Amino acid sequence: NAGVTQTPKFQVLKTGQSMTLQCAQDMNHEYMSWYRQDPGMGLRLIHYSVGAGITDQGEVPNGYNVSRSTTEDFPLRLLSAAPSQTSVYFCASRLQARGYGYTFGSGTRLTVV
Amino acid sequence: TQLLEQSPQFLSIQEGENLTVYCNSSSVFSSLQWYRQEPGEGPVLLVTVVTGGEVKKLKRLTFQFGDARKDSSLHITAAQTGDTGLYLCAGESSGGSYIPTFGRGTSLIVHP
């Protein structure tokens, strides 16, 4: 089925560890984003990309890196995990930057201990 | 930073009741989307509205975009237990930024 695939579904990290959250879409969408969702805070944008080779920071980028080498893939790297990064992470894509709704992945629940 | 205020924050009703949730801002939006999110899943797009005064229907769900494109509402008729979830609105500015702003959501529980 076409859509946004996120892996892993669950992850536990120790403080200071690094990891990469994977995101892939097969809909040929140009625009991709990473959000984190925390209770009472809603969805907050971490990084986004308007096409292969182009990325930019969102509202809460500190501690995260992204790259977009292909249209399909948009991995999110945690450089040195901190307890404050415990959250649910969603990758989302849409056809173009304006006027289209997102297709979201099913999320990665990350716990940093 | 634009703000999208959603109300109510929580709603607990019985099956068969009607309800309305609201999404309000002081900013003008070029388009606005509504999503539903079930526990453990990502949000799923329900509708996009783009024209002031526009009304869209999706079975028992009715979506309205305000005339001034600053607010929107979602009305559910005869709610069912399957309507339970978190309802999110997201607006795109009519200005230069194309980054959508999300509201914090309305959590709806429909009891059998």
Side-chain angles (χ1 to χ4, degrees), chain A residues 9 20 40:
Chain A
K9 183 76 172 176
T20 299

mmCIF file with all atom_site columns, all heavy atoms in Angstrom, chain A residues 9 20 40:
data_model
loop_
_atom_site.group_PDB
_atom_site.id
_atom_site.type_symbol
_atom_site.label_atom_id
_atom_site.label_alt_id
_atom_site.label_comp_id
_atom_site.label_asym_id
_atom_site.label_entity_id
_atom_site.label_seq_id
_atom_site.pdbx_PDB_ins_code
_atom_site.Cartn_x
_atom_site.Cartn_y
_atom_site.Cartn_z
_atom_site.occupancy
_atom_site.B_iso_or_equiv
_atom_site.pdbx_formal_charge
_atom_site.auth_seq_id
_atom_site.auth_comp_id
_atom_site.auth_asym_id
_atom_site.auth_atom_id
_atom_site.pdbx_PDB_model_num
ATOM 1  N N   . LYS A 1 9  ? 9.103  1.213  15.217 1.00 0.00 ? 9  LYS A N   1
ATOM 2  C CA  . LYS A 1 9  ? 7.848  1.615  15.850 1.00 0.00 ? 9  LYS A CA  1
ATOM 3  C C   . LYS A 1 9  ? 8.102  2.068  17.295 1.00 0.00 ? 9  LYS A C   1
ATOM 4  O O   . LYS A 1 9  ? 7.462  3.006  17.770 1.00 0.00 ? 9  LYS A O   1
ATOM 5  C CB  . LYS A 1 9  ? 6.875  0.437  15.843 1.00 0.00 ? 9  LYS A CB  1
ATOM 6  C CG  . LYS A 1 9  ? 5.498  0.749  16.402 1.00 0.00 ? 9  LYS A CG  1
ATOM 7  C CD  . LYS A 1 9  ? 4.653  1.547  15.441 1.00 0.00 ? 9  LYS A CD  1
ATOM 8  C CE  . LYS A 1 9  ? 3.210  1.671  15.941 1.00 0.00 ? 9  LYS A CE  1
ATOM 9  N NZ  . LYS A 1 9  ? 2.401  2.528  15.067 1.00 0.00 ? 9  LYS A NZ  1
ATOM 10 N N   . THR A 1 20 ? 19.084 6.833  14.265 1.00 0.00 ? 20 THR A N   1
ATOM 11 C CA  . THR A 1 20 ? 18.395 7.387  13.104 1.00 0.00 ? 20 THR A CA  1
ATOM 12 C C   . THR A 1 20 ? 17.005 6.800  13.006 1.00 0.00 ? 20 THR A C   1
ATOM 13 O O   . THR A 1 20 ? 16.835 5.584  13.046 1.00 0.00 ? 20 THR A O   1
ATOM 14 C CB  . THR A 1 20 ? 19.176 7.088  11.812 1.00 0.00 ? 20 THR A CB  1
ATOM 15 O OG1 . THR A 1 20 ? 20.469 7.688  11.893 1.00 0.00 ? 20 THR A OG1 1
ATOM 16 C CG2 . THR A 1 20 ? 18.430 7.651  10.613 1.00 0.00 ? 20 THR A CG2 1
ATOM 17 N N   . GLY A 1 40 ? -0.179 17.766 25.515 1.00 0.00 ? 40 GLY A N   1
ATOM 18 C CA  . GLY A 1 40 ? -0.428 19.176 25.788 1.00 0.00 ? 40 GLY A CA  1
ATOM 19 C C   . GLY A 1 40 ? 0.319  20.148 24.895 1.00 0.00 ? 40 GLY A C   1
ATOM 20 O O   . GLY A 1 40 ? 0.097  21.354 24.973 1.00 0.00 ? 40 GLY A O   1
#
